[in-house]
Amino acid sequence: MNFPLGLISVLAALERCRRKQEGRRAFCRKRITPETDAKVLQDIHQYGDAPIRQGLAGPDKQRFDHDSHSPASASHLHRFHFPAHRHTRSKEEASKASPRELANGYPLRPATSRDEGPVDSRYPRDLAPSPISPMASRTALNVRGTSPTPSGLSLLSPASQRSPADVPNSAKRSLFDKIRRHKGDKGPQDTLKSLPGSNRSLQDPSLVNPKVVKLDPLPPKRIRDGSIATFDSGSTIRAMESVPSESPSHRKESKSKLLHGHGKFSTPTRRAFGHESVGVKDGDKNRDGSGNNSPYWSLDLDMSNMEGIVSAPPPLTPPHGGIFAGGALTEELRKEPWEMNATTGPGAWDAPDSWAVKKVGDENMARLNEIDEAGIAPKAEDHGVPHCVRVFRIDSTFATLSTNVNTTVSEILQILGKKSFLQDELNNYQIIMRKHDLQRQLAPGERPIAIQRRLLEQTGYEDADNIEEVGRDDNSYLCRFTFVPTKLSGYHSLDKDTGYAKMSKFSHVDLQGRSLVTIPIVLYKRATEIVSLSLSRNLSLDVPKDFIQSCVNLREIKYTSNEAWQLPPSLSLAGRLTVLDISNNRLEQLEHAELHKIQGLVSIKMSNNKLTSLPPSFSQLKVLRSLNISSNYLKALPDFVFDLRSLVDLDISFNSIQALPKIGQLTTLERFWATNNELSGAVPDDFKMLQNLKEIDIRFNTLTSIGVMSQLNNLEQLMAGHNGISKFEGSFSKLRTFHVDHNPITRFDLKSSMPSLTSLNVASANIAQLDDSLFERTPNLTKLNLDKNHFVNLSTQIGRLRKLEYLSIAKNPLEKLPTTIGCLQELRFLDVRECNLKKLPVEIWCCLRLDTLNVSSNVLESFPKPTPSLQQPSMEQTNLLPSGSSGSLGTPSSPAHEEVGKLEDFGHRRPSQASGGLLSVGNSPAGSTRKGSIVSVYGPGGRKASVISRTPTETTVSSMMRKDSTISARLAMTFATSLRHVYLADNRLNEDVFDELTLLSELRVLNLSYNYLDDIPPRSLRRWPHLHELYLSGNELSSLPSDDLEEVSSLKVLHINGNKFQVLPAELGKVQKLAILDIGSNSLKYNVSNWPYDWNWNWNRNLKYLNFSGNKRLEIKPNAAFSASGNREGTDLTNFTSLNHLRVLGLMDVTLTIPSVPEQTEDRRVRTSGSVAGSMTYGMADTLGRQEHLSTIDLVVPQFRGHDTETLLGMFDGQALSSGGSKVAKYLHENFKDIFIEELERIKTPKESPADALRRTFLALNKDLATVASQSLDEKEHRIPQKGHRGSIAAQTLSADDLNSGGVATILFLDNMELYVANVGDAQAMLMQSDGGFKILTRKHHPAEPRERERIREAGGYVSRHGKLNDVLEVSRAFGYIQMMPAVMAAPHILQITLKEQDEMILIASRELWDYVTPDVVVDVARSERGDLMRASQKLRDLAMAFGATGKIMVMMIGVSDLKKRERNRYRGQSLSMGPSQLQDDQMFPIKRVKRARDAPDDSTLARLDQEVEAPTGDLSLVFTDIKSSTKLWELYPVAMRSAIKIHNDVMRRQLRIIGGYEVKTEGDAFMVAFPTATSALLWCFSVQSHLLTAPWPREILESVEGQEIQDTDENVIYRGVSVRMGMHWGSPVCETDPVTRRMDYFGPMVNRASRISAIADGGQITVSADFIAEIRRTLETYAETDRSCSVDSEDAFGDDALGQSIRRDLRALSMQGFEVKDLGERKLKGLENPEYIYLMYPHSLAGRLVAQQQIADAEAASASNQPGSTSHDTQLTIDTQMVWDLWNVSLRLEMLCSALESPGLNNLKPPETALLERMKNRGGEVTDKFLVQFVEHQVSRIETCITTLTLRNMIRPFVPGQNLLEQAVPMGDILSALVEQLEELKAYKKAEGPEMMGPA
């Protein structure tokens, strides 16, 4: 081959530059690490027989030699030096090869061009490999450590490329010498044949004729096709061609390309990809610079003779640490290895991974159960139905194929080849699969249709959805298959500029999400600089081994979310790796990974895989500190895990681990996470060995005891919530955070002082009292949560918590707060909502840092008034720890600036604003009207008092200033200067409360909703200049103080809905910042002509939320006269166009005659419908919360599809965005109805129902959204936009933010009485019933729920320890969130039910409501306002805000009881035995909003229910109840019984209010109740018995004999918790009012008889008298006869009789339950002369009690008669009971024999004790099958144990025949000792004889 001279000069110049650079680098290396050379010289013998020089040689000698040389000789001397040769075996494997072979075995890696960077990672040519090299032998791996920023020689990788000619005297060749032929330099060692063998033969046997490749002097950047491997720049070859004579190792300084068509060819010939290897050989190496004058030189390219070039590999040498696939080499093959095909021979040489040649099969693949040798999953089940798939071309056209599900890529390519115009050969095409923003090339054996089907199934499609036809559409949102030429994919993507060439630092390289197939070439040259490498989210990434070996400083690898079934084998070669993250893959086992080779691993994360076990080799990781195996399928931890004594962090969360048997061995463990497992029982005792533990998280298990953890002296954080712990008594010395919430704890006590504890959470437990000592022992507590317990009183010792900042004791029956609450001067947050507080202690004013006070839903009648003598309460004991606040109000610590506001504002508020002249020293100026009031806003008669004027006159200034000075000083010692958020909603406060509240000058939020406010005193609102939010809903207000409105300039939120406003003052328009205004459900009468005096919305231009809904008398109509006259701004005041920021406009039930309303957009919702949906009442309420834009939209479609019987309701809750409204929610709202209609019309088969249509509608809508997202991704490739599903174009307006967001939805479809509910996400629906019960209709799709978690993991997602999907999303199913599909899917949960008589209302609400309002409160509130669902919806929303909700809320309610009227009208004229009345009870007797009386119960829960019925007189029903064995339970479980009694009383009283009974009196746990009708008494008894079964009883009660759970034969629970006996009687008692209690009381024989009847009942029984049965029969006959007439007159006859309607309602409820009556016969009652006929009554659901109690009675009777027991009449066993007793006798006799042999010296065998046997056998009664089977199993186990004992005795000390057994008696301890001795002897013998005695493995 000839070269032009011009090119030679250019190359010579380049060579000189290279030499200078290399010299500088070598000099720097010498300066930085001078000791490295000596180190290498000393250790070089470890690496083989490489020559050891006594002095400088080679390039070093040449570089530092000062002798003069000519340029020609210099060029001659600077030749490339290749010190090593790579054989077939990698150095990372154990090998028995010779040292010479070890020294020569270094991998090759692709070279990088010189212009890509000056870094040369190879070590100096004259030095041996560094001992820290990953290629060194394993014995030298730990010789010395290396920092992430190593010194010079430590950076040098021994994995560098070596020349095949590694001879001691070889000189370094320059680039100039590589292409120049020197005359006379050829010697005997310079021929190709004499060179050492190369690493791998590239010679194709078919190539016998040499070819001469003429290099074109044109620039090297030319189009290259079909190359297999590239070498030097400008000399890349095509397949089937020879190559220039360069060794592969010379590519270090050349621009490298990979195979698969990356080479740029000088000829346009197109070739198919081939697998043939091309041979190479080099020309002569020694040249003298002389030659002929021709400008070209010829290179010898004779490839026919490779002798001496390719050496035979050693036998059985696996390549690169892989698994050898061949057999042993014969002697003949050893002699002539070049005659074998290098790719198929038994000792096949394996090229470096970076060459990307076909690899030898890996036998590790056989260990992977889910994939075959090609990494392909097993075939999908094929039913023979052809499936459709759409395959795109690069021009966005596509072909739709229909073939079977297991069609491979190769077969699809053949089909596409016939349908497409190919520009190249078919084998140069491939199929690329794109998933979201990632793509990968499919292997020929993969099955695209099976992949598509699996993804569709994971998205929610089913076979019933014709899944085989779904593929006909564009499913690019899931996966997209593209038919592309090979040159446009795969390794060609590496030609693109990745940006790394411009990087200056390569310590942290992030390659995630780049769809790479291998490592970019540019990184090879900077491999030694890489410390951290992220390879995540590359679906087909191959990590070459030689690259990993080159990264000698690599410390961290992230290989996550790659959908990998196996790990790249190269990862185990990263010898210095310390952190490895392989989470979120599909790994089933790790045996193939050989991670134990990485001895320095410190952290491994393997979460979210499919691991069922861990490889035992993990025990070799002796320095492992962090192990994360969460979210796998482990059922137990392997024993070797407990041998990892260096572990510090261990995460086993989200597995199925049931026990931790050897956890105590991990003595270095500091953090342990085991949430969401199956751990049960007590924590193992060896936990006490983990003395280094600092953090434990064991939430969501079933642990019952954690007492052993109190022995962990260094524990700082313990999270044990959501378990089964019933008692805790212990302490911790260093614990800071302790959470045991959501446990059935009844006793909680700390045994010793815990000064380090700062946070304690025992919420949602059953605690009724805390010991006083607990508060003494936690002096530094800052956060205490006691929510949802049974506290009635709080200990006064709570005042000792001087550092407490957060105290929450919400939802308790708390009746008062201790006065010592004032000692908590650091308290900032106090939540006592939903308690029974009637008043607050005045000392609460002393909490001078209090910021938030929530006392909502109590029974407060006043707010405490600060007195002049107010002082901080003092504790009796003074041994308190020092705190930041003083002990008296005289010297308080000054609050922080952020607590009281800015200093300038604080200064301006005094004295006028801080005190306002409101606090007088003496009596109130209005003493006659304000009894004992300290502060009054106005004087007598309503006149404004001069002493409180905001602008005092000159005559009063001095006195005012003196008063203000005193008052300000006093208020500065209280929370008046710090309290900003006050919530007092749902209490009994009147307008007097403003006297105290006006002292709080720093108020920002004030909530007084649902109180008894009739008026707001003048000059009150102006006392809060910083007020932002004011809530006054649900009161009796009819006016606002107009003068004050001008002063509240900061007001932004005003809720005054549910009052009695008729007009609003015009001054409201001056509140310019007002953004939220709700005036719904009032009595507004708007007169647009009266704008100077009445308010108009147009003056508040910043309104975002405006609600008029529920004002049925409001009319908005244009006024012609007014329009002509104009107004102050010339604005049309009848429209809403000026409200540019409006998001929600509620006009429901408002009469509109204006021409138009604002247009609805994704950021604006306008409601103009009425509060009815067809024939059903409807109500709704919403709020934006703190959001700026709209994201929740409601859907109401009455008369759906034109049918009167169909109604569609829905809620779409999109993700709130900062950029605008949720377009996702808007799109769903606009398109759901149309698509649902289409799907309903497609239902043709009887097997399908509207439930199928709902599911397909959800999937179709989500597909529309996802398709638009995928199209937006394709725009970069200029693809043609595809049309959305069913031609939808609306979704194409979605922005980028919307496409990355999503939304949840809940849909109700009513068809007559059939209800279909579908939902995704956390917007839940509830069905409420007339008896106060409810049913949740939806499923909250929480990611941590077991079924959802399993589905998410199968779809490639994961659930974090915080319960979020991919640690981002709090729901697992939703619309949108395209990038997380199919882990997030829109397949809905669907429920179909038939509505019944007792069903009243359905509620749909967004998540925020359910987070703050419990379901029982929702039911109570909704039923209390069931006469007006608009008010009910608003009240629920308002209560959620009062409880602390700040987010968006939407509540929708529909009354389904109206459906019953429509249904009954359809059957009018038919005979019904007990049919419902035509008219509705609630319509005939509407529920009026009655102001709660002062004598209402002091229980906030009961106060929400209907008022108690009037005490019945005359004929009535009396019921007596009592708890069975209550005395015994109190003795055994005194603490648990406190909670149990509270639960019992709540159930009894709640049902009394709902059904309508009168509580006469209680004594202990006994109730005496009166009812006006027999039906209500019977219904109450049935309801109480049913609700007691589901009550949250303490664990101690459930584990007791009296409270254990019992099921009937159908596995229905019939007993659970305390058993309550009940007795009922009907008659006329003596009725008198008690003068003390002022309640009705009953006396006389009727009362005595009722009491005696209840005494007959057993626990759970309901006994009634004959008189009661007679009354029930009379009632049934009377009302059934009336109903059978079914005439209007007959129903109207009871229309005005409330008692009659009540009876009819009760009868309907009883008929729905059904009941049974059993005659117990005549019984003699204690103290009564005449006997009484007694009956038992049960509802059908508890009929099993009759059978159970009958069995008990029969057993007692049989026991008394001494008759043997027998099997039950329905037994399925054929066992004779006598045989069972005989078996028991045998077991007793054997046990007596074993006992006798245990005691030497006995003369006779003692007979077995059979008294118990006889008693059991003759106890009588029936014996159940279950008892017999279990009893037999027990006896068999006992017999087996005896036989085992006798056998063991005979083995160790054989029994002597003929000798008395008793004479051979010996203790069992001696037998076991002898056995141990024999085993030790055997073990020693085996050890001495060697392994061959151990037997086969």
Side-chain angles (χ1 to χ4, degrees), residues 1624-1625 1649 1653 1656 1663-1670 1717-1725 1730-1736:
M1624 290 185 288
H1625 184 45
R1649 190 171 295 272
I1653 291 173
I1656 295 177
T1663 54
V1664 299
S1665 64
D1667 293 339
F1668 186 87
I1669 292 293
V1717 181
K1718 181 179 180 180
D1719 187 356
L1720 293 182
E1722 198 172 49
R1723 297 291 181 91
K1724 177 68 176 177
L1725 303 180
N1730 297 325
E1732 179 77 24
Y1733 274 96
I1734 304 299
Y1735 299 85
L1736 279 179

Side-chain angles (χ1 to χ4, degrees), residues 253 347 368 445 582 666 854 1180 1247 1354 1626 1846:
E253 301 299 334
L368 303 176
I582 54 175
L666 303 177
N854 195 330
M1180 74 86 53
K1247 296 182 180 180
E1354 287 293 328
W1626 174 265
L1846 295 174

Side-chain angles (χ1 to χ4, degrees), residues 1557-1609:
Y1558 183 80
E1559 181 180 340
V1560 182
K1561 64 179 69 172
T1562 60
E1563 182 177 352
D1565 52 56
F1567 272 72
M1568 177 181 178
V1569 186
F1571 292 88
T1573 64
T1575 54
S1576 59
L1578 184 61
L1579 182 61
W1580 180 76
C1581 291
F1582 286 175
S1583 299
V1584 167
Q1585 292 288 353
S1586 298
H1587 283 82
L1588 288 175
L1589 293 178
T1590 58
W1593 300 109
R1595 180 175 294 274
E1596 295 90 334
I1597 302 298
L1598 295 177
E1599 292 176 351
S1600 66
V1601 176
E1602 292 77 11
Q1604 63 182 345
E1605 180 178 304
I1606 300 177
Q1607 298 179 348
D1608 59 12
T1609 55

Side-chain angles (χ1 to χ4, degrees), residues 33-55:
T33 57
E35 75 282 1
T36 306
D37 290 324
K39 175 69 177 177
V40 174
L41 291 174
Q42 293 173 6
D43 298 340
I44 197 167
H45 65 276
Q46 302 178 14
Y47 301 100
D49 297 332
I52 302 179
R53 302 177 178 86
Q54 301 300 324

Side-chain angles (χ1 to χ4, degrees), residues 365-531:
M365 299 295 292
R367 304 177 186 170
L368 303 176
N369 299 327
E370 291 295 331
I371 59 178
D372 58 17
E373 294 181 356
I376 299 172
K379 290 185 177 181
E381 185 178 358
D382 190 357
H383 299 287
V385 180
H387 287 63
C388 296
V389 63
R390 180 180 290 191
V391 182
F392 290 84
R393 303 182 182 91
I394 57 175
D395 58 355
S396 292
T397 62
F398 61 87
T400 302
L401 310 182
S402 179
T403 181
N404 66 75
V405 70
N406 288 314
T407 303
T408 64
V409 169
S410 299
E411 295 168 342
I412 290 179
L413 286 174
Q414 295 295 329
I415 299 174
L416 291 173
K418 300 176 182 179
K419 293 188 175 184
S420 305
F421 175 75
L422 303 182
Q423 299 179 356
D424 201 347
E425 297 179 9
L426 183 60
N427 55 359
N428 284 343
Y429 283 83
Q430 59 190 12
I431 291 181
I432 301 296
M433 182 184 72
R434 192 189 72 193
K435 293 176 65 175
H436 306 311
D437 58 338
L438 303 178
Q439 63 183 17
R440 71 178 178 91
Q441 173 186 340
L442 296 183
E446 291 193 81
R447 296 175 282 274
I449 300 179
I451 295 175
Q452 175 182 268
R453 179 184 174 90
R454 179 176 177 83
L455 289 173
L456 289 173
E457 289 174 345
Q458 292 175 345
T459 311
Y461 286 93
E462 302 176 0
D463 290 335
D465 301 323
N466 295 324
I467 195 171
E468 61 274 3
E469 291 295 325
V470 177
R472 191 178 298 276
D473 301 326
D474 182 9
N475 295 299
S476 299
Y477 68 100
L478 284 178
C479 63
R480 181 187 182 102
F481 301 108
T482 308
F483 176 61
V484 297
T486 304
K487 63 183 180 180
L488 298 180
S489 64
Y491 290 93
H492 288 272
S493 62
L494 301 177
D495 286 333
K496 300 178 181 178
D497 183 15
T498 58
Y500 289 107
K502 302 177 181 179
M503 291 178 55
S504 59
K505 294 183 179 181
F506 286 79
S507 58
H508 302 281
V509 177
D510 188 356
L511 298 177
Q512 65 175 335
R514 295 178 179 265
S515 299
L516 297 176
V517 295
T518 191
I519 302 298
I521 300 171
V522 68
L523 295 181
Y524 280 82
K525 196 165 188 178
R526 314 302 291 268
T528 58
E529 302 178 29
I530 299 177
V531 176

Side-chain angles (χ1 to χ4, degrees), residues 1457-1712:
S1457 60
D1458 299 329
L1459 293 175
K1460 293 180 288 188
K1461 172 184 176 181
R1462 185 178 67 193
E1463 193 70 12
R1464 285 194 293 267
N1465 290 338
R1466 295 175 57 193
Y1467 298 100
R1468 177 171 287 282
Q1470 299 181 9
S1471 176
L1472 296 177
S1473 60
M1474 227 168 37
S1477 63
Q1478 174 189 1
L1479 300 179
Q1480 289 301 298
D1481 308 328
D1482 295 338
Q1483 290 176 343
M1484 298 176 61
F1485 303 98
I1487 305 298
K1488 296 182 179 180
R1489 295 178 64 242
V1490 181
K1491 192 171 182 178
R1492 289 169 292 184
R1494 289 287 182 177
D1495 58 352
D1498 294 337
D1499 187 295
S1500 60
T1501 301
L1502 296 180
R1504 282 192 292 264
L1505 302 175
D1506 295 340
Q1507 292 187 12
E1508 188 178 36
V1509 298
E1510 294 292 335
T1513 56
D1515 290 338
L1516 52 87
S1517 292
L1518 275 182
V1519 182
F1520 283 86
T1521 72
D1522 185 25
I1523 296 179
K1524 177 185 176 182
S1525 303
S1526 61
T1527 303
K1528 179 180 178 181
L1529 291 173
W1530 274 108
E1531 289 293 330
L1532 295 176
Y1533 316 107
V1535 178
M1537 277 300 291
R1538 294 187 63 175
S1539 299
I1541 288 297
K1542 175 60 181 173
I1543 295 172
H1544 165 267
N1545 293 350
D1546 288 345
V1547 171
M1548 305 283 277
R1549 288 173 173 144
R1550 177 181 173 83
Q1551 294 303 315
L1552 272 178
R1553 290 301 183 98
I1554 292 174
I1555 294 173
Y1558 183 80
E1559 181 180 340
V1560 182
K1561 64 179 69 172
T1562 60
E1563 182 177 352
D1565 52 56
F1567 272 72
M1568 177 181 178
V1569 186
F1571 292 88
T1573 64
T1575 54
S1576 59
L1578 184 61
L1579 182 61
W1580 180 76
C1581 291
F1582 286 175
S1583 299
V1584 167
Q1585 292 288 353
S1586 298
H1587 283 82
L1588 288 175
L1589 293 178
T1590 58
W1593 300 109
R1595 180 175 294 274
E1596 295 90 334
I1597 302 298
L1598 295 177
E1599 292 176 351
S1600 66
V1601 176
E1602 292 77 11
Q1604 63 182 345
E1605 180 178 304
I1606 300 177
Q1607 298 179 348
D1608 59 12
T1609 55
D1610 297 328
E1611 298 185 351
N1612 298 316
V1613 178
I1614 55 176
Y1615 290 101
R1616 183 179 177 275
V1618 298
S1619 295
V1620 177
R1621 61 169 64 94
M1622 295 179 169
M1624 290 185 288
H1625 184 45
W1626 174 265
S1628 299
V1630 176
C1631 307
E1632 293 182 1
T1633 302
D1634 188 283
V1636 177
T1637 63
R1638 298 182 181 180
R1639 295 185 64 81
M1640 184 68 70
D1641 203 353
Y1642 301 93
F1643 309 94
M1646 185 264 185
V1647 178
N1648 297 333
R1649 190 171 295 272
S1651 176
R1652 297 298 180 263
I1653 291 173
S1654 67
I1656 295 177
D1658 195 9
Q1661 287 185 339
I1662 305 173
T1663 54
V1664 299
S1665 64
D1667 293 339
F1668 186 87
I1669 292 293
E1671 176 62 18
I1672 289 291
R1673 289 174 177 170
R1674 185 192 68 81
T1675 304
L1676 287 173
E1677 293 174 356
T1678 301
Y1679 288 91
E1681 183 66 26
T1682 304
D1683 290 336
R1684 277 193 291 271
S1685 64
C1686 285
S1687 63
V1688 177
D1689 294 338
S1690 64
E1691 293 197 0
D1692 290 344
F1694 292 91
D1696 297 331
D1697 185 3
L1699 186 62
Q1701 288 300 318
S1702 174
I1703 293 174
R1704 300 171 69 87
R1705 184 167 52 246
D1706 296 338
L1707 287 176
R1708 286 198 295 271
L1710 290 171
S1711 66
M1712 294 297 298

Side-chain angles (χ1 to χ4, degrees), residues 590-607:
L590 292 174
E591 282 80 1
H592 69 282
E594 299 180 335
L595 297 180
H596 62 279
K597 293 183 177 180
I598 315 176
Q599 295 292 320
L601 268 180
V602 174
S603 172
I604 303 180
K605 295 181 180 179
M606 300 179 287
S607 61

Side-chain angles (χ1 to χ4, degrees), residues 250-294:
H250 291 169
R251 294 177 298 148
K252 172 70 180 175
E253 301 299 334
S254 64
K255 185 171 183 180
S256 172
K257 298 293 179 181
L258 298 175
L259 89 164
H260 296 318
H262 281 276
K264 291 181 170 51
F265 289 83
S266 59
T267 57
T269 305
R270 185 181 301 276
R271 298 297 181 101
F273 287 164
H275 66 277
E276 294 85 0
S277 298
V278 182
V280 295
K281 66 180 180 178
D282 201 356
D284 294 336
K285 301 169 63 176
N286 298 326
R287 298 167 178 83
D288 58 1
S290 63
N292 55 32
N293 296 327
S294 173

